[in-house]
Amino acid sequence: MGALAVGACIGAAYFFTSSTSFANPAIDVGRMFSDTFAGIAPASVPAYVVVQILGGLVALGLIAVLYPDLSAEEAGEIMVPQP
């Protein structure tokens, strides 16, 4: 269900915003070379990527706090393999 929600969020951001959600740092770097209304200023990219990485680290910390007894093996069983 979570994967469906993430996909729906990214899909909605892609179709209904000009930014296409900038969900991937590689998109940010690519968009800085774009001269369209959906581009991103080159000076904004480094800070934006740093904040994305910090957000990921905060998420990892939150998972460690919410699930302190979760082992790597158990986490591997929870993850859905990608095709």
Side-chain angles (χ1 to χ4, degrees):
M1 187 67 170
L4 182 61
V6 170
C9 178
I10 298 298
Y14 183 81
F15 286 107
F16 299 112
T17 69
S18 63
S19 69
T20 64
S21 81
F22 294 103
N24 182 339
I27 301 274
D28 306 330
V29 173
R31 283 293 181 101
M32 95 177 161
F33 296 110
S34 173
D35 190 26
T36 66
F37 69 96
I40 186 171
S44 300
V45 173
Y48 195 77
V49 171
V50 167
V51 171
Q52 284 180 313
I53 292 169
L54 289 175
L57 293 173
V58 168
L60 286 175
L62 187 59
I63 289 170
V65 168
L66 294 175
Y67 303 99
D69 298 326
L70 186 66
S71 69
E73 292 79 24
E74 292 170 327
E77 291 175 11
I78 294 171
M79 296 299 296
V80 178
Q82 299 298 313

